[in-house]
Amino acid sequence: MTDMREVDLVPTAPHRELTLGYHDGRTRRVLVIDEEVPYPDGMLIVSRTDPTGIITHANQAFVDLSGYERDELIGENHCILRHPDMPAAAFRDLWDTVGRGAKWQGYVKNLRKDGAHYWVFATAIPNVRDGRVVGYTSVRRKPSRAKVNEYAALYALMRAEELK
């Protein structure tokens, strides 16, 4: 995130207001509602970041499903979508994997601008030019409901352990 915008949101469901902390020490206040936005059939979300995770490209599907405007995404850290239910270990695994130059795949619960969430099956790869990583590309597609249920339960256990 390059700045900390305040967003006035009107919750449509019971909600929680949380302050999220990030690895670099920044915090952000978010509204979280227990409402899932279904991932549309046939849609692929594509984004690119620089080596530090700052979004440099967001396709229209990403803009639409995230609830943000394109200019709110470009220049922000990809963690703007991090849902508080996601365990830190999942993102450590992602960064460790792409840091080795390998492809990472996994299930991710993302936070929309309006506080709702959506699930994706994500593939992230490093973009290498002249032997060095210049950024990352992520392509997300619709996950199966069975996998969403499996990972929601797993992530709840992992988060409970993290919060002990």
Side-chain angles (χ1 to χ4, degrees):
M1 271 178 2
T2 55
D3 63 17
M4 293 180 49
R5 297 181 182 102
E6 287 294 322
V7 179
D8 292 322
L9 301 173
V10 178
T12 59
H15 67 282
R16 300 178 282 160
E17 290 186 43
L18 302 172
T19 299
L20 301 181
Y22 296 100
H23 67 280
D24 63 1
R26 289 175 297 134
T27 61
R28 179 170 74 107
R29 189 175 60 87
V30 297
L31 178 71
V32 179
I33 59 175
D34 187 24
E35 185 176 301
E36 182 173 355
V37 173
Y39 193 107
D41 290 331
M43 178 190 291
L44 288 179
I45 294 174
V46 179
S47 62
R48 286 191 300 272
T49 70
D50 71 8
T52 66
I54 302 299
I55 300 168
T56 59
H57 169 78
N59 74 345
Q60 190 60 47
F62 183 23
V63 171
D64 293 344
L65 197 51
S66 74
Y68 287 94
E69 297 295 326
R70 186 179 318 277
D71 65 350
E72 293 177 301
L73 292 168
I74 303 299
E76 292 294 323
N77 193 291
H78 217 287
C79 67
I80 193 173
L81 301 169
R82 184 173 178 177
H83 195 284
D85 291 350
M86 285 297 298
F91 293 105
R92 271 195 305 276
D93 181 57
L94 179 149
W95 285 107
D96 289 349
T97 301
V98 296
R100 292 190 311 270
K103 173 176 76 173
W104 179 88
Q105 291 186 308
Y107 294 86
V108 179
K109 183 178 186 178
N110 282 327
L111 182 65
R112 290 171 39 94
K113 181 180 178 179
D114 63 6
H117 67 273
Y118 61 98
W119 281 90
V120 299
F121 178 65
T123 301
I125 59 168
N127 301 326
V128 179
R129 303 286 183 272
D130 298 322
R132 68 178 186 80
V133 174
V134 297
Y136 302 96
T137 297
S138 180
V139 177
R140 277 88 75 204
R141 59 185 171 265
K142 185 175 186 170
S144 75
R145 181 50 44 189
K147 286 293 188 184
V148 166
N149 294 340
E150 176 185 334
Y151 277 86
L154 173 63
Y155 290 165
L157 291 173
M158 292 171 72
R159 282 293 293 153
E161 281 298 311
E162 288 177 356
L163 296 173
K164 280 187 178 179

